[in-house]
Amino acid sequence: MKNKIPLKNIRFGKTDAFNELKEYGTEWFKKAFFNYEKYNIDDFIEGRKYYICGDKGSGKTSFLRYLQCELQEDMNNLIIPIRFKSEIDELDRRSIIIAANNVEEISAEGINDFKSNDSAVLVWCVYIINKFFEIYQEKGEFAFFHDNQEFSEIQKLLKIVYPRKENTILPKIKHGQLTIETKALKLLDAKLCLDLDVDKSAKKANVNFIKIGKSIINKFAKLEYDRNRAYIIFDELELSVHSKKDNKRDIKLVRDLILAIDKLNEICKENGFDIHLIASVRNEVIRSVYTTGFEINKCIEDYGTVITWNQRTGSFSNNSLLNILENKIIASEIEYGITNHGDIWNKYFEPTINNTDVRKYILEYTWMHPRDIVRLMNNVQENCSSTDELFTQEAFDKALKAYSKASWNEMSEELILKYNSEDIKTIKAVFNNIKVPFNLKILNERIDQLSHIDSNVDKLLKKHQLIDILKDLFELGIIGNSGQRMIFKFLGDDELALIEDMIIHKPLRNFFAVKSRNT
């Protein structure tokens, strides 16, 4: 019996952990998952932490999916996953903003017990509580609260806000008022009618949303907890790049969702509810919220875990990113009945690629993110023949063009918010075939030459300063400083040294057809 599997049968996974779990199943996903020490998974299970933060591709979704798989093994746990990017669509997001803005109008007229700038937090809290009630009651086998007066009243109030199931976020709120339909009015007893200041005999009534929202939250805090444990898991808290307007809107939405998660977690802890809200948040979202003056630092710092994989000291062979590859290969071997795994690197890889230890080579062609490792190795695997016994230098060399292009495509999606498609093409033209290292003097001379044959160069620089462009490229890890100590954003450096030599990061040099200045 062979002690290794064909290279084509190794599963390196998907660039999206959601797709990986869906395609390969829970058992393989759990075996292949590398439980990085920085995750501190028990902190999330016990509610000590509830924000997992990191750059795009740093493994946040993978962590949440693994956490979900672990929690699902206990039948007493109710898991409610919510994908912000895909499940809360543009219409939903607009409805939250409209509702929040309308609530603020009424707040300014004399309702002093709720801050106007907390209005969208209130909207999110009501949405989350309804989502929780809706799902656990549909399932039927869970018992979270005793069926007392508060429980009955909160159900009635939620039916007022959500009279029909197709209202995924909120029904229409006009001038801060929510219209209660006749059927819903009949559900209210005298006490609730008094609390909401409505006439039960009327055909319909308009109620201030703050009153309903606050009443729901207050009654939720007074519920008597029974048993079972719940985890409401928000993933993909990302900002739209379709337009600056949508991006600005999403900054507020995500900010308020982060605050709503903090508020509800606090209520649950104070009242002994074994209910936990967890969210993954991209670093760029946190930075965007900070720069717009919104306050989320307290909850992120106190209850967040930031995932980084970069390594400045120690041996490259101990980098945890390499463990991700090892785990995926071992999980693939187990699928074929192999239990004696041995040295994975000697078994499946040539020792050196371009005179560099293969492990160091792989790390140098990433932005120190798990997604890069997966993308690179999937491209390498595609360039292996059915007879290949090892991942060779030839396979790596052939893979670089597709890998480099895919990496650029992902980064250009981030640039589109500030630069239009023609600008991005022009930026590519400026750096295409460039010799590295380069400096500002060389770059300005190059731009001057290009401007004589490409009018788009002048158009780009009339809209954007060259230094600002360089800073933006540095933020994405496209460029950095060369020298004895490389300076790159993904290595933890904050500033590009504009007067020093600069380089294109290795994974993109194939895409830009970069040449060495020493040759």
Side-chain angles (χ1 to χ4, degrees), residues 441-482:
K441 181 176 180 294
I442 292 171
L443 198 56
N444 276 312
E445 290 173 353
R446 181 180 178 83
I447 287 170
D448 185 57
Q449 292 174 346
L450 285 171
S451 64
H452 288 91
I453 57 175
D454 187 350
S455 61
N456 287 317
V457 175
D458 282 336
K459 290 178 184 178
L460 171 68
L461 294 176
K462 283 179 181 178
K463 291 185 288 183
H464 306 281
Q465 294 288 327
L466 176 60
I467 288 176
D468 291 333
I469 295 172
L470 292 174
K471 287 180 178 179
D472 290 336
L473 298 181
F474 174 74
E475 284 294 316
L476 292 175
I478 295 170
I479 66 170
N481 291 117
S482 62

Side-chain angles (χ1 to χ4, degrees), residues 55 72 92 100 122 126 132 205 232 238 270 293 299 304 354 369 432 452 460 507:
D55 292 332
Q72 284 173 339
D92 291 331
L122 180 68
V126 172
F132 171 65
I232 305 170
E238 301 177 13
E270 287 178 351
C299 51
N354 290 330
H369 296 146
N432 197 44
H452 288 91
L460 171 68

